[in-house]
Amino acid sequence: MTTQNFTGKVVWITGASSGIGEALAREWRARGAKVILSARREAALTQIAGEWQDAKILPLDVAQTLAAPAMVERTWSLFGRIDIMAHNAGVSQRSAAAATPLATTREIMETNFFGPVALTKELLPKMRAQGGGRIVVVTSLMGKFGAAGRSSYAASKHALHGYFDALRAEEWANGIRVTLVTPGYIRTAISQNAKDENGAAHGALDRGQAGGMAPEKCAKIIVDGVARDREEILVGGLEKFAVFAKRWAPRLLSIGLRGRNID
Ligand SMILES: NC(=O)c1ccc[n+]([C@@H]2O[C@H](COP(=O)([O-])OP(=O)(O)OC[C@H]3O[C@@H](n4cnc5c(N)ncnc54)[C@H](OP(=O)(O)O)[C@@H]3O)[C@@H](O)[C@H]2O)c1
């Protein structure tokens, strides 16, 4: 797909009840796509999609991976195809590794990693049968390097890069394309919803997010990147250059990050 025009394309977006996912839904719809919105909070989805007659909502908890086959069947039946799956639902972390309960690490992995994997496995045979499709995966700068307070979150996002890079290679011949999106600071509720050392919501809007890019701008950059068939999209402010530091001067980055809170 190398056109700016998504007219008639069916796009399923998880985490569409707020932040980047909501902005993605608005952007894709503005470019002619039929959108299916998923997240746990049905009321928020209803409010967003209520403005549009042609949008559908499908409330779901991506961490409930046993439900993935039924969820994919239901979603597929809404329009009879899915051209783009945008795995955007995610939860972050605000706690040191030593203080983080294993249960919280598992919860983060279930939502951020196993959720997208379970849905993708169900989608692949259907996408192949329709002649192809695209999987968009919203990871993070934390999918490229780790930082204090983000051990489990960074693990879940690194896992996405490994899994979906491999999937891209496997599914190329089947017409399935993979785009990995690595945002830096985006002005959303991600820090408020992040898990603290008690597994509860952190509750604070951190400095990074407060000063971050508007989700609408982020969504536009993502959709532009998808239209250009990009395999990776790096989006954010100056913080995104840390990815280049990790590649070309990893020791310097490591020294810079020692003990440093990246809030
Ligand atoms: N904002 C940033 O600075 C930033 C930076 C890098 C990466 N990201 C990534 O961007 C993605 C979107 O986050 P955001 O910044 O837009 O934050 P957000 O406003 O907190 O949105 C997170 C979305 O994920 C949904 N979600 C969370 N757990 C879910 C679950 N178990 N099942 C289904 N939906 C679930 C939430 O909806 P419900 O609560 O209704 O389920 C919400 O719609 C995440 O993957 C995040 O890791 C964000």
Side-chain angles (χ1 to χ4, degrees), residues 17-18 20 40-41 61-62 88 153 184 186 188 193 209:
S17 60
S18 67
I20 299 171
R40 290 164 302 179
R41 286 171 297 148
D61 181 343
V62 294
N88 165 77
Y153 181 66
I186 313 296
T188 71
N193 296 329
Q209 275 68 41

Side-chain angles (χ1 to χ4, degrees), residues 108-183:
I108 291 169
M109 290 298 292
E110 291 292 348
T111 300
N112 295 0
F113 178 67
F114 287 107
V117 167
L119 293 176
T120 299
K121 281 172 63 63
E122 299 302 319
L123 280 168
L124 285 177
K126 293 178 180 297
M127 278 189 166
R128 284 183 197 152
Q130 76 179 5
R134 179 176 298 271
I135 316 273
V136 177
V137 189
V138 179
T139 79
S140 168
L141 292 190
M142 291 296 102
K144 296 287 193 176
F145 62 93
R150 307 285 192 281
S151 52
S152 306
Y153 181 66
S156 70
K157 297 295 189 178
H158 273 70
L160 288 172
H161 277 268
Y163 188 93
F164 283 96
D165 272 347
L167 190 94
R168 180 193 290 121
E170 289 175 5
E171 295 296 330
W172 177 264
N174 297 320
I176 296 172
R177 303 290 177 256
V178 173
T179 299
L180 284 155
V181 181
T182 53

